[in-house]
Amino acid sequence: MATMKDVARLAGVSTSTVSHVINNSRFVSEPIRDRILSAVATLNYSPSAVARSLKAQSTRTVGMLLTSSNNPFFAEVMRGVEESCYERGYSLILCNTENDPERMKSSLETLLQRRVDGLILICNERNPTLETLFFNYPDLPIVMMDWGPFSGACDVIQDNSLQGGLAATEFLISKGHRRIACITGPKDNVQAQRRLEGYRQAMKEAGLAAPDDYQIFSNFEFSGGLKAMSQLLALSEPPEAVFTCNDAMAVGVYLALSQSGLKIGQDVAVVGYDDIELAQYMTPPLTTVHQPTGELGRLAIDTLMHRLEGKNRETKTLALAPKLVERQSA
């Protein structure tokens, strides 16, 4: 494998001059530049990314810790992150933690060994162990997407979940529904709590009852929606409308209703949350609260780059406004 010294020898120049041409760090006359580039092509020389990163104290690599890659919302955000990294000349290393603290610890150690410049987190649940773990690396720039395993010490990007929950429930009320249930995420998940609070606020303002058995905590997964909707259908007075706090669970809700012979949008209205790409292709297309998943990913990288460039000194929380998208399910 050719080295910079080999290029310098063939071009008849010093290694420092080769370095200046490759890195475009100093003016070099056109004849000499041409000789060097010709030597690079002849020798098929490729600069060592490792050596360059050690010199620059930067690997141009971003690490991403993801709770679960099988959730469509996370996959779409991840795509936005990856596209933004590529546009900026950065590489992305993805680690799927499956909500396992030990696996997250191992993944974080792997990313640190790879000397990532910064870290993006998308995690479902808060965990004291993880909070201690990340605080051991105070100099590592971190951006948490939507929610995270701890608060403070890093930038946070989230949607206004309370407002989104309020809008979804108010929409169902405006359609004349009175028995409205809410299927939300884990109890210790901040966004699940906020979306549920939006539901409760809308029901209270409308003077409608929100019984405890109409409020179900689940897991934000397909299976959680199926189980929760089956539980609601088993009540003596099932709901006539359901606000499902993410679209993945809404897929499970659709299956439960279909298995019970009920027509979505006619017998039972359904509103989801996230507006994943799949939502518009469901039968019927799902009414949902839109989150700009691609923009979330790109905003995460923009925020991280500002942190790496020293433009942000104080931690920030950036909130995106949710928007209801009406389709045929409600």
Side-chain angles (χ1 to χ4, degrees):
M1 181 179 294
T3 67
M4 190 178 292
K5 287 184 178 180
D6 295 327
V7 174
R9 188 179 302 113
L10 182 60
V13 297
S14 66
T15 54
S16 62
T17 302
V18 174
S19 176
H20 287 312
V21 169
I22 291 173
N23 295 300
N24 198 28
S25 55
R26 196 186 70 183
F27 173 77
V28 176
S29 67
E30 286 300 322
I32 294 177
R33 178 181 292 272
D34 290 342
R35 289 210 322 260
I36 291 172
L37 293 178
S38 176
V40 167
T42 300
L43 297 172
N44 195 27
Y45 170 68
S46 178
S48 168
V50 173
R52 293 174 69 179
S53 68
L54 287 172
K55 182 176 180 180
Q57 294 298 306
S58 170
T59 60
R60 299 192 69 80
T61 302
V62 173
M64 187 172 185
L65 291 176
L66 185 66
T67 294
S68 176
S69 59
N70 65 355
N71 188 314
F73 170 74
F74 292 156
E76 291 182 20
V77 172
M78 180 181 66
R79 184 170 60 189
V81 169
E82 193 279 331
E83 288 176 352
S84 188
C85 282
Y86 176 77
E87 291 168 0
R88 292 174 175 272
Y90 277 73
S91 299
L92 178 68
I93 301 177
L94 175 67
C95 295
N96 188 357
T97 67
E98 295 295 346
N99 275 329
D100 183 346
E102 285 302 316
R103 186 167 174 173
M104 178 172 279
K105 180 179 179 181
S106 175
S107 297
L108 178 60
E109 290 174 349
T110 298
L111 293 174
L112 291 172
Q113 289 170 3
R114 297 291 185 92
R115 299 179 63 248
V116 295
D117 294 337
L119 193 63
I120 305 273
L121 296 181
I122 304 184
C123 304
N124 268 348
E125 301 167 356
R126 296 192 180 278
N127 187 301
T129 302
L130 297 180
E131 185 169 354
T132 301
L133 174 64
F134 283 100
F135 283 172
N136 288 334
Y137 306 98
D139 296 327
L140 180 66
I142 299 175
V143 174
M144 290 197 301
M145 297 287 298
D146 206 25
W147 54 78
F150 53 85
S151 58
C154 60
D155 297 303
V156 178
I157 298 173
Q158 63 186 27
D159 75 306
N160 191 335
S161 286
L162 190 150
Q163 188 62 39
L166 184 67
T169 310
E170 287 178 340
F171 174 78
L172 289 170
I173 294 171
S174 73
K175 291 294 184 179
H177 301 296
R178 295 297 176 262
R179 300 196 314 276
I180 304 171
C182 178
I183 301 173
T184 191
K187 287 186 177 180
D188 58 356
N189 183 279
V190 174
Q191 303 305 328
Q193 294 171 359
R194 289 173 179 165
R195 292 170 195 178
L196 177 62
E197 182 58 32
Y199 158 81
R200 288 171 173 169
Q201 182 176 324
M203 295 295 282
K204 182 178 180 180
E205 291 176 354
L208 298 176
D212 289 343
D213 53 9
Y214 271 25
Q215 304 176 43
I216 300 181
F217 289 94
S218 191
N219 60 4
F220 274 148
E221 303 293 339
F222 302 122
S223 59
L226 174 62
K227 181 178 179 180
M229 192 67 235
S230 300
Q231 183 178 331
L232 288 170
L233 292 174
L235 296 174
S236 58
E237 191 174 34
E240 57 188 6
V242 181
F243 166 41
T244 307
C245 291
N246 82 339
D247 290 348
M249 292 192 300
V251 174
V253 167
Y254 268 45
L255 179 58
L257 292 171
S258 177
Q259 290 175 341
S260 299
L262 297 171
K263 293 184 178 180
I264 299 155
Q266 297 181 30
D267 299 320
V268 180
V270 180
V271 172
Y273 202 110
D274 287 337
D275 195 23
I276 60 175
E277 186 175 1
L278 177 63
Q280 61 186 307
Y281 299 108
M282 294 166 68
T283 306
L286 178 66
T287 296
T288 185
V289 177
H290 175 74
Q291 286 205 82
T293 51
E295 284 91 345
L296 278 168
R298 285 186 283 274
L299 181 58
I301 294 300
D302 288 344
T303 305
L304 188 62
M305 292 300 109
H306 275 74
R307 176 69 59 183
L308 291 173
E309 294 165 5
K311 295 179 180 178
N312 285 352
R313 295 187 177 182
E314 300 295 328
T315 57
K316 295 183 178 180
T317 297
L318 306 176
L320 299 179
K323 179 183 178 182
L324 187 85
V325 177
E326 183 177 356
R327 297 194 180 103
Q328 286 76 55
S329 66

